[in-house]
Amino acid sequence: MRKIQFSPPLLTLLPGLTLLPVLFIFLKGIHNGGLSIFSSFIEASFHPALDAIVLGSSWRGLRVTIATALVSWSISTFIGLILGIFSSSIFWKTFNAPSWAASITRRILAIPRSIHEILWGLLLLQGFGLSPWVAVVAIVIPYSSLVARVLSNQLDALDHRALIAINQIGAKPFPGLITALGPPIIPIIASYSGYRLECALRSATLLGIFGLGGIGTDLQLTFQSLEFNEMWTGLWMLGLVMFSLELVLSWCRKNLYRITKKYQFSFILIPLTLTFTTFCFFWLKESEIGAITNFEWHNLSLPTLVEIESAFKELPLLTLIGSTLILTFLSAGIAIGIPPLGLMLFPSRLEVNIQSIIWGILRLIPPPLSSLLLLLFSNPSFVVAAIALGLHNIGIMGRLLKEGIDNQTDRKWHAMKATGAGPSASWLYGYMSSQSPSYLAYASYRTDVLLRETAVVGLIGGTGLGWQLIESLSSFNWAEVTVLIILYSSITLVGESISDYLSQFWMSYTTKKSTASHSFF
Amino acid sequence: MIRNNLKIFLLTPVITSLSIQPFATAQSQETLFIGAIPDQNPEKLNRLYNLLSNELNKQLKVPVKYVKVTNYPAAVTAFRTGSLDLVWFGGLTGVQARLQKPGSKVIAQRNIDKKFRSVFIANTRSRLQPIKNQAGLKALKGKRFTFGSESSTSGRLMPQFYLQQSGVLIKDFAGKRAGFSGSHDATLALVQSGSYEVGALNEQVWKVNILRKRVNESRVKVIWRTPPYADYHWLAQPNLDKRFGKGFTSSLQKALLSFNKQSKSQEKILELFGAEKFIPADVKQYKAIEKIGRQLGKIK
Amino acid sequence: MLELTGVRVLGISTDRLKNVELSVGNGEKIALLGPSGAGKTTLISVANGSLKPHEGNVLWHGKDLSRISSRHRAAIGTLWQELRLIEELNVSQNVNAGALGRHNLIWAIRNLMGLIDSKESLTCLEAAGLNKEMIDLPIKELSGGQRQRVAIARLFRQRAQLLLADEPISNLDPNLSNKILKLLIGKENDITIQIPESVIISLHRPDLIRYFTRIIGIKKGEIIFDLPTEKVNSSEISWLYK
């Protein structure tokens, strides 16, 4: 028997193997007791409540969510761009500063993003009370740091010969930097920030589910009281916004080159965005009728070292870390493995379109809701949480994979068809193979995201660091909160470096430059 | 051209921040902000609290605004930070809030809150028999069990307390843990479906669901009623008299206590609250909750 | 075996192919001559079924090519101009990809794991003039000529009856060109495997036509002449390139 080789396309399918244990446990606990509730859930999707109170309340919620997303997105992009420049090696090099300056800046900037925006939101809520700005700041903190990471990576990966040439002729460092690196980086920034806007909308919704206002709040409360007709009103409205945003952004990505070729245009875009943000800023103020809009710090009684030490000893830390990691790996396996498996087994145009629609719905339903829904069918286990988290991310991975495939040539696929290979094998060899390195690069990035996201479903499974953190927060036990936050963020920091390493490995796997929409994750 | 655009680009945030100023100082009138822990569906809470705001506004002659709060700890925090003046708390959250904001006043509760109960419900397929006395809770060992929201008094704290009293710990349940469905309705749905064999919830919610015929009684039944304990209550900020004038807190209390079924709007409010009337509440009755909260680690 | 009647392929301003009539018989070795842009690649795409003509029919052993099963399509092998090797896989996996038409999806996945017996792919590799040791190399590490041979090995592995080759020697030096052509036409001496009986090879170098039995000249999407090699004279060829 020969040694098994792990070729890239094979590696995209392998995570699908996690399905075996997951489905085994899930199906073992499955029952039909939740059928009537589930059917009323499905039925309600065709009959969303349309009376004025529900419509009005959903619209108000949606306004808050959209405004929160837009304001936090533009602020975080702005801050992220500045921080990104400051944390790039090329910036420090231009000023003849030692190279460790950049790496220290990077390391410090990794801390804000090591904590999921939900946790930031819940923490800030404790300090600042109810305010629509809590959600905004909760998103801005990790997002700025994420944008900074991507920008600095991209800046350093650019071809620096033009910059060297410009500096040789005696240009001042900063104008030199902008002139040489501005034009190539702008399409990348534009494409990436578009992607961040989608994320911001999802995050703003999720923050609502955790009690920070907006449409998410309505979704959560109506769902929990099983008022499905009311819930679908909100969900469809959110879906409409989400899908139109996705359509607009994917159009922009496709025509990005043409748009950004007009260098001037990019500069008009920035004040335009800022003006728009200002508008949203007031819109958000306006939307939270009755809410208290000031944003000030209210003192918390900070825990003493002794308390922290005893919390450290009392919490079952190893179990918590273990369950967090298991949850991450299972959900990542599902999220990464299913889109290629599904497309491989059902590659016809019609089947692909059906899968796209399913992915859209999966992206729309936030994981805390889907986990409760799954729980109606299966006995509780951490697997339910993993599936819920995995399903949501299938929606994201699937769309990305399809976008990548749509942007590549179909020549190899034709070549495979012409050898007489069947549709599945042709798809696997002709499409997936070329797509696999960038898909794997994105998958390792996504696993890193999932590690943070386990916080949002821990509640249902009653497992993981995220769940324990929410429990400690609701007990106002600051010593435990401190220990858990430090622990959680150290794990995600380690996770991030591993994922960075893998991601870079796969990016450099093919010598060809991969399509713009993928290169920055 | 680029230079000009850059200027605009740099100036916009400055302009933005300048123009915020007048807006920020526009609010000056004292408003009474009321809120509630989100233990019911938001549409009902919206209706209920808008009615209540109008009624209080009529009686107290101050602007009253209802602020939607979306989770239990957020309500506590909002009270601590002074974002909310009058909050409808559960037993545990009320105690948490009072401890974090010394001097705040318990001003009223419903007639049913003095002797509130939780019920333990079981899926019929679990073959669990009605439990005669508290020691019988031992039968729940090894079962799949769910609470409601993690900060709920009737959905978590008291049930967990009675379980613990009779020697059943969380780790005795199947999978060595209990679920947290998030709400009373969800607990009911999950136990009825059979995903969890047993669950604990607010007795009032159970009764309302029976009345609305949302319970399939061949699937789920009550196996135990807890002993009575004090639960929900109105909690007011300590500084209301200072802000709204002397005696405001007591007129607020009087207003709530005066609600009766003669007035149409008041009747509606009481009905939505599921109460006959509001009665004065005594701080002392929550001593037990505080003790239990500390015992179970929900209060530090 | 292959028959094209009244084939027309529309282009943006002009037709890419118009009124093409072509019949290929057993054992024929056909050279497709013409300047770049004449429609050679289009003709090959139509002949292997990856491009459906807007008008006309393509018949394979009397059956409509677009209707026959993928398994039977494997009888037509194509050597693409850009080779279309899968860069992410190694040599043996690429060679085995030629046999996908005869195997199921499980086999395809096992090939990705490197679990397919290498005997057959080794034979094809050697027949294509490559060293045994190259079998586990990634495609990225090969030179242009080596890649060409891997693509040919893949074709041998496919066991096609008819070979279509699109400019297989356009990027090769003259010495190598001769070798590759001989390989494709089956004039290499030590070949031990089944090679395609008939070939259609597109070229733009008229000096190599001596290897073929039949020459087809194509220009602006139309067949200009279709003659046995001995009847082709230099004036026809020079007119083709005028």
Side-chain angles (χ1 to χ4, degrees), chain B:
Chain B
M1 181 64 190
I2 289 174
R3 187 169 283 250
N4 268 338
N5 281 329
L6 255 178
K7 252 184 215 161
I8 301 170
F9 152 70
L10 290 173
L11 274 176
T12 315
V14 179
I15 297 164
T16 316
S17 55
L18 282 176
S19 52
I20 293 165
Q21 285 308 317
F23 276 79
T25 49
Q27 283 182 346
S28 58
Q29 208 184 5
E30 279 292 358
T31 304
L32 185 75
F33 290 103
I34 63 172
I37 50 167
D39 65 337
Q40 294 179 65
N41 96 57
E43 192 256 347
K44 187 178 161 191
L45 284 177
N46 266 337
R47 270 193 298 150
L48 171 57
Y49 281 88
N50 287 328
L51 282 174
L52 184 66
S53 305
N54 289 338
E55 190 64 30
L56 288 178
N57 174 257
K58 216 160 60 187
Q59 295 203 13
L60 299 170
K61 309 278 182 284
V62 293
V64 181
K65 269 183 179 163
Y66 165 57
V67 180
K68 191 156 54 174
V69 183
T70 42
N71 66 34
Y72 288 50
V76 176
T77 306
F79 189 80
R80 175 172 64 80
T81 57
S83 309
L84 292 174
D85 297 319
L86 176 67
V87 181
W88 179 244
F89 275 120
L92 172 64
T93 41
V95 173
Q96 286 176 331
R98 255 188 306 124
L99 289 174
Q100 294 186 24
K101 191 86 179 201
S104 40
K105 301 194 171 65
V106 178
I107 60 172
Q109 62 186 181
R110 295 172 302 186
N111 58 319
I112 54 171
D113 291 319
K114 241 186 173 53
K115 290 189 164 145
F116 207 81
R117 290 170 195 266
S118 304
V119 288
F120 281 60
I121 55 170
N123 188 289
T124 42
R125 268 180 295 186
S126 71
R127 304 191 182 286
L128 280 165
Q129 296 307 312
I131 291 166
K132 296 279 182 286
N133 55 32
Q134 202 183 327
L137 287 175
K138 283 203 174 65
L140 304 188
K141 283 189 179 181
K143 300 289 177 193
R144 298 189 301 274
F145 184 93
T146 186
F147 294 117
S149 170
E150 77 276 8
S151 295
S152 166
T153 307
S154 53
R156 191 240 172 124
L157 188 78
M158 294 314 290
Q160 190 178 347
F161 170 68
Y162 292 122
L163 284 166
Q164 199 162 341
Q165 248 188 357
S166 45
V168 184
L169 300 176
I170 300 289
K171 65 174 172 25
D172 294 325
F173 292 126
K176 289 195 167 41
R177 67 170 76 92
F180 289 94
S181 71
S183 73
H184 302 295
D185 289 303
T187 300
L188 176 53
L190 290 173
V191 174
Q192 183 166 312
S193 81
S195 292
Y196 285 100
E197 293 165 299
V198 199
L201 74 151
N202 181 319
E203 188 179 40
Q204 195 203 0
V205 174
W206 167 259
K207 283 180 174 163
V208 168
N209 274 290
I210 294 268
L211 277 178
R212 290 178 60 195
K213 304 217 181 315
R214 279 170 63 158
V215 180
N216 179 348
E217 288 178 80
S218 64
R219 281 285 187 77
V220 60
K221 58 175 199 255
V222 173
I223 53 165
W224 191 58
R225 283 177 89 205
T226 64
Y229 53 86
D231 200 349
Y232 294 86
H233 54 279
W234 285 109
L235 192 65
Q237 288 282 355
N239 66 352
L240 293 187
D241 288 0
K242 216 191 290 168
R243 279 171 49 213
F244 294 92
K246 233 183 158 125
F248 183 83
T249 312
S250 64
S251 26
L252 178 62
Q253 184 174 30
K254 272 191 205 121
L256 285 169
L257 297 180
S258 74
F259 283 11
N260 59 58
K261 297 196 170 176
Q262 268 76 55
S263 147
K264 256 239 141 55
S265 56
Q266 290 176 6
E267 187 191 3
K268 189 76 196 155
I269 291 170
L270 288 171
E271 187 199 317
L272 284 166
F273 263 103
E276 292 294 315
K277 59 176 196 269
F278 286 113
I279 57 171
D282 185 2
V283 186
K284 271 184 263 163
Q285 42 180 343
Y286 296 103
K287 275 280 167 234
I289 299 252
E290 184 179 339
K291 207 178 117 207
I292 295 163
R294 284 189 198 281
Q295 217 177 325
L296 300 180
K298 293 303 292 180
I299 296 172
K300 251 293 177 199

Side-chain angles (χ1 to χ4, degrees), chain A residues 38-56:
Chain A
F38 187 70
S39 64
S40 64
F41 172 82
I42 296 292
E43 209 184 309
S45 70
F46 298 102
H47 308 283
L50 294 175
D51 60 280
I53 294 180
V54 179
L55 279 175

